[in-house]
Amino acid sequence: MKPKISDVAKVAGVSPTTVSRVLNNRGYISQETRDNVERAMKKLNYFPNDVARSLFNKRTNLIGIIVPQTSNPFFGELTFHIESICASLHYKVLLCNSLNRVDKEKSYWEMLMRNQVDGVIAVTYNRGLVNAHEKPLPIVTIDHYLSPTIPVVSSDNYAGGVQATELLIAKGCQHILHINGPLKLETPANLRRKGYETVMQEHGRTAITYEIANALNRGEQQKVIAQLFREHPQVDGIFASDDLIAATLIAEAQKYGKHIPKDLKVIGYDGTETCQTLLPSLTTIRQPIELIAQKAVEVLLKEIEGDYEQEEMDICLPVQLIEGTTT
Amino acid sequence: MKPKISDVAKVAGVSPTTVSRVLNNRGYISQETRDNVERAMKKLNYFPNDVARSLFNKRTNLIGIIVPQTSNPFFGELTFHIESICASLHYKVLLCNSLNRVDKEKSYWEMLMRNQVDGVIAVTYNRGLVNAHEKPLPIVTIDHYLSPTIPVVSSDNYAGGVQATELLIAKGCQHILHINGPLKLETPANLRRKGYETVMQEHGRTAITYEIANALNRGEQQKVIAQLFREHPQVDGIFASDDLIAATLIAEAQKYGKHIPKDLKVIGYDGTETCQTLLPSLTTIRQPIELIAQKAVEVLLKEIEGDYEQEEMDICLPVQLIEGTTT
């Protein structure tokens, strides 16, 4: 049996009301009484009930995070930082892995509402999810525009696309292609493609983007890459929209007898710690993942506290080119 | 303002008691009334309050997960599977990243208690955490013995250590070393080391293990590896207790001019999807991560339901040798 407030009161030799006052820091309590109550709580292994408390306070201190999947190193790292920052501010995190599926995003969203979360940080790919609900609670998205009233935190995807493409050109590549996820113009991630296209155009070249419908699926990545090599045997530079795609690309290129970087130069995007450990040779555009997490939590808490300003609708953070030996 | 039950009742043209009956599936309700209430809820964008409900039911359907950090690919993948399985069973997951720190484990543990979670799945490295509290709620650990009364789910670490060492011997290695995290005999992960030591002994060789105090820290990994190469320049085979250490080892070996696998053969442990994508050349012992997650959730739910059997105290799941080109 879990101990109750009345048990604590008995052991401490005070009334239940006094225990409740200590717990809620209300009314005058002498230090001696406070110590007595705390000793009794410890002795009985009593923990105050945050669920009851949150009903009373109309605040749960719960934040929902929706990400595609924490097994992806970018989302695993992002989730780690968001949760750690939340914990340091006494917020708890309900984790949701949506796999980018509309049905899962929808049911997680409803679950978070039912559980009275104070706010949501979402990395979702499907529009319409929140619009339909007319933003019923504070929300921040990362890298994806959900609706004009929802703030977005992202890395400077356009600059990243420009830097990646300019590097490949500077290295002498003649046939540069781009591989990306589904082409949805409204996501900041597609600004990576815009950056690529702009630089290609400036140099009088034709921009060609290969699209992977489900970018998280390695089998699908391989299929698109095989098609790319078939249709463009002369390709000598590829900008991949994330490091996992770049890694799959490198493995596939070797099957085709292409030497990297001599025959083919490859640059990725994300620059997670995991990728820097497992594939340190990869040239990539590093996102400031911890800073993205910090900003997202900061904006969300401002929304929750009600002192949120409109100019913070689109927060764009700097990226960094990390040169390895694949370019 | 959030809509209330009384608002739903007004729109549906029924009493608040009827709305409450529909929500809780109690008493007779005609299909027409049910449809009316559900339409009204949808129209008002009303979500039932799971917090209030859980106080009433004495069940929160909340599971706490404590892992060192989801940015590590093994824990990111494990967390993904645990959360997905929980979600499919209508359990919600509170995520805690402990960084293996005793103080964080302790404060997360107390937070989970205060939030009335139905149970906890923990990957913690510090003993005593739960003992002190005399197992106040259902708990399962992964890969770590916390107390004799707490069930453990792990991969067959001993068999993994045996297979890894036997492979290096079969490949002709003469000086085989092992790198592992902190040596705490009570953790199943140290059975990897036991497996290594047993095989070495069987072949009349001396087992030498290098210990990394904080295995998650890459700088510390590099320091220990440098020491290893200094003290054992003749080393030609290394079994690393996880894939990230193996990857750091490969990068360091190259700095010392050691060719892999000619001069030095390396085998890791874990075999996450991320590692298979970013470093497919690595020979490794693959843990059945999804199965570990499944078993952990299964045992925890049995504990929660009270039909848990003692013989399930130590669940050991098979590993698989994946041969790459580093051995």
Side-chain angles (χ1 to χ4, degrees):
Chain A
M1 273 300 288
K2 279 184 191 170
K4 297 196 204 84
I5 284 198
S6 55
D7 302 319
V8 175
K10 209 174 283 173
V11 171
V14 299
S15 71
T17 313
T18 303
V19 175
S20 170
R21 277 195 187 151
V22 171
L23 285 174
N24 294 301
N25 236 333
R26 261 199 299 269
Y28 171 75
I29 305 280
S30 75
Q31 191 57 45
E32 195 191 335
T33 307
R34 187 179 298 278
D35 290 350
N36 260 344
V37 170
E38 276 166 5
R39 254 195 306 275
M41 277 167 49
K42 210 161 182 181
K43 189 174 166 196
L44 291 174
N45 200 21
Y46 172 85
F47 289 93
N49 185 333
D50 270 13
V51 178
R53 198 183 286 246
S54 69
L55 262 186
F56 180 78
N57 294 331
K58 307 264 175 213
R59 218 13 129 66
T60 53
N61 271 48
L62 270 175
I63 301 289
I65 306 187
I66 305 178
V67 292
Q69 50 184 148
T70 54
S71 45
N72 172 293
F74 176 74
F75 298 118
E77 205 163 316
L78 185 67
T79 300
F80 163 67
H81 288 299
I82 292 175
E83 191 281 317
S84 298
I85 296 165
C86 283
S88 74
L89 300 166
H90 305 291
Y91 278 87
K92 301 152 284 188
V93 163
L94 276 175
L95 175 65
C96 310
N97 287 284
S98 70
L99 285 173
N100 286 344
R101 277 172 43 186
V102 184
D103 58 331
K104 279 186 182 273
E105 286 180 1
K106 196 165 162 344
S107 73
Y108 276 123
W109 179 255
E110 290 176 6
M111 179 276 280
L112 293 175
M113 299 280 289
R114 285 197 314 270
N115 284 278
Q116 319 291 320
V117 294
D118 293 337
V120 176
I121 296 178
V123 189
T124 64
Y125 289 77
N126 302 296
R127 282 179 67 86
L129 178 68
V130 180
N131 271 347
H133 295 291
E134 288 162 354
K135 199 184 172 190
L137 48 74
I139 178 166
V140 172
T141 64
I142 291 174
D143 250 2
H144 296 91
Y145 297 117
L146 272 186
S147 104
T149 59
I150 294 173
V152 181
V153 178
S154 64
S155 73
D156 193 342
N157 291 288
Y158 181 78
V162 167
Q163 286 175 39
T165 313
E166 280 177 347
L167 180 74
L168 293 174
I169 287 176
K171 294 279 180 175
C173 296
Q174 295 303 314
H175 297 92
I176 302 171
L177 301 183
H178 178 45
I179 306 189
N180 207 319
L183 302 176
K184 286 184 189 163
L185 281 170
E186 312 271 359
T187 69
N190 261 303
L191 290 173
R192 295 174 200 170
R193 184 171 65 96
K194 273 255 161 62
Y196 158 75
E197 287 172 348
T198 305
V199 174
M200 291 294 276
Q201 207 167 10
E202 278 170 13
H203 287 79
R205 307 206 186 173
T206 311
I208 299 169
T209 297
Y210 275 77
E211 187 182 340
I212 304 175
N214 180 0
L216 293 175
N217 184 310
R218 202 171 157 213
E220 225 166 297
Q221 290 176 12
Q222 286 167 328
K223 236 167 55 192
V224 173
I225 290 163
Q227 187 193 346
L228 180 157
F229 284 139
R230 227 176 22 247
E231 295 176 354
H232 295 275
Q234 78 284 30
V235 60
D236 60 358
I238 300 181
F239 165 38
S241 67
D242 77 50
D243 291 340
L244 291 178
I245 297 177
T248 306
L249 194 54
I250 290 169
E252 293 300 302
Q254 276 155 0
K255 290 187 199 161
Y256 286 78
K258 286 181 190 289
H259 185 270
I260 289 169
K262 196 169 65 67
D263 308 325
L264 176 67
K265 298 186 185 359
V266 175
I267 178 166
Y269 203 101
D270 284 346
T272 59
E273 277 187 39
T274 294
C275 188
Q276 293 292 301
T277 302
L278 292 175
L279 188 56
S281 61
L282 182 66
T283 299
T284 189
I285 304 289
R286 179 185 288 165
Q287 300 202 57
I289 304 180
E290 187 172 359
L291 191 61
I292 291 174
Q294 259 171 25
K295 281 287 168 195
V297 174
E298 202 180 297
V299 170
L300 187 68
L301 295 192
K302 278 189 188 166
E303 277 192 81
I304 291 172
E305 301 297 340
D307 57 0
Y308 173 68
E309 287 162 30
Q310 277 302 316
E311 59 260 38
E312 294 171 310
M313 284 307 288
D314 199 340
I315 292 171
C316 185
L317 302 166
V319 293
Q320 191 191 355
L321 172 66
I322 308 286
E323 266 200 79
T325 55
T326 60
T327 46
Chain B
M1 274 299 288
K2 278 184 192 169
K4 298 195 203 84
I5 284 199
S6 55
D7 302 321
V8 175
K10 209 174 284 171
V11 170
V14 299
S15 71
T17 315
T18 304
V19 176
S20 169
R21 277 193 186 152
V22 171
L23 285 173
N24 294 301
N25 236 334
R26 260 200 299 269
Y28 172 75
I29 305 281
S30 74
Q31 191 57 45
E32 196 191 333
T33 306
R34 187 178 299 276
D35 291 348
N36 260 342
V37 170
E38 277 166 5
R39 254 195 307 275
M41 279 166 51
K42 210 161 184 182
K43 190 174 167 194
L44 292 173
N45 200 21
Y46 172 85
F47 288 92
N49 185 333
D50 270 13
V51 178
R53 197 184 287 245
S54 69
L55 263 186
F56 180 77
N57 294 332
K58 306 263 176 214
R59 221 7 131 67
T60 54
N61 272 48
L62 270 176
I63 301 289
I65 307 187
I66 305 178
V67 292
Q69 48 184 151
T70 53
S71 44
N72 172 293
F74 176 74
F75 299 119
E77 206 163 294
L78 186 66
T79 300
F80 163 67
H81 287 300
I82 292 175
E83 192 281 317
S84 299
I85 295 165
C86 283
S88 74
L89 299 167
H90 305 291
Y91 278 87
K92 301 153 283 189
V93 163
L94 275 175
L95 176 65
C96 309
N97 286 284
S98 70
L99 285 172
N100 286 345
R101 277 172 44 186
V102 184
D103 58 332
K104 280 186 181 272
E105 285 180 3
K106 196 164 161 342
S107 73
Y108 276 123
W109 178 256
E110 288 176 7
M111 180 278 279
L112 293 174
M113 299 279 289
R114 286 197 313 272
N115 284 278
Q116 319 291 320
V117 293
D118 292 336
V120 176
I121 296 177
V123 188
T124 64
Y125 289 77
N126 302 295
R127 280 178 68 87
L129 178 68
V130 179
N131 271 347
H133 296 291
E134 289 162 355
K135 199 185 171 189
L137 48 74
I139 178 165
V140 172
T141 65
I142 291 173
D143 249 3
H144 297 92
Y145 297 117
L146 273 186
S147 104
T149 59
I150 293 174
V152 181
V153 178
S154 63
S155 72
D156 193 342
N157 290 288
Y158 181 78
V162 167
Q163 285 176 39
T165 314
E166 280 179 346
L167 180 74
L168 292 174
I169 287 176
K171 294 278 180 177
C173 296
Q174 295 302 314
H175 297 91
I176 302 171
L177 301 183
H178 179 45
I179 306 187
N180 208 319
L183 302 177
K184 286 184 187 161
L185 282 170
E186 311 271 1
T187 68
N190 260 303
L191 290 173
R192 295 175 200 170
R193 184 169 66 96
K194 273 254 159 65
Y196 159 75
E197 287 173 346
T198 305
V199 173
M200 291 295 276
Q201 209 167 8
E202 279 171 11
H203 287 79
R205 309 209 185 169
T206 312
I208 300 171
T209 297
Y210 276 76
E211 187 180 339
I212 304 173
N214 180 0
L216 293 175
N217 184 309
R218 201 172 156 211
E220 225 166 296
Q221 290 177 11
Q222 286 168 328
K223 236 167 54 191
V224 172
I225 290 164
Q227 187 193 343
L228 180 156
F229 283 139
R230 228 177 20 249
E231 295 175 355
H232 295 275
Q234 79 283 30
V235 61
D236 60 357
I238 301 182
F239 165 38
S241 67
D242 77 50
D243 291 339
L244 292 178
I245 297 177
T248 306
L249 194 55
I250 289 169
E252 293 300 303
Q254 275 155 2
K255 290 186 197 161
Y256 286 78
K258 287 181 189 289
H259 184 269
I260 290 169
K262 196 169 66 65
D263 308 324
L264 176 66
K265 297 186 186 0
V266 175
I267 177 165
Y269 203 100
D270 284 346
T272 58
E273 275 187 41
T274 294
C275 187
Q276 293 292 301
T277 301
L278 292 175
L279 188 56
S281 61
L282 182 66
T283 298
T284 190
I285 304 288
R286 179 184 290 166
Q287 299 203 57
I289 305 180
E290 187 172 359
L291 192 59
I292 292 174
Q294 259 171 24
K295 281 287 167 194
V297 174
E298 201 179 298
V299 170
L300 186 68
L301 294 192
K302 277 189 191 169
E303 278 193 79
I304 292 172
E305 301 297 340
D307 57 359
Y308 173 67
E309 287 163 31
Q310 278 300 317
E311 60 260 38
E312 293 170 311
M313 284 307 288
D314 198 341
I315 293 171
C316 185
L317 302 166
V319 294
Q320 191 191 356
L321 171 67
I322 308 286
E323 268 201 78
T325 56
T326 61
T327 46

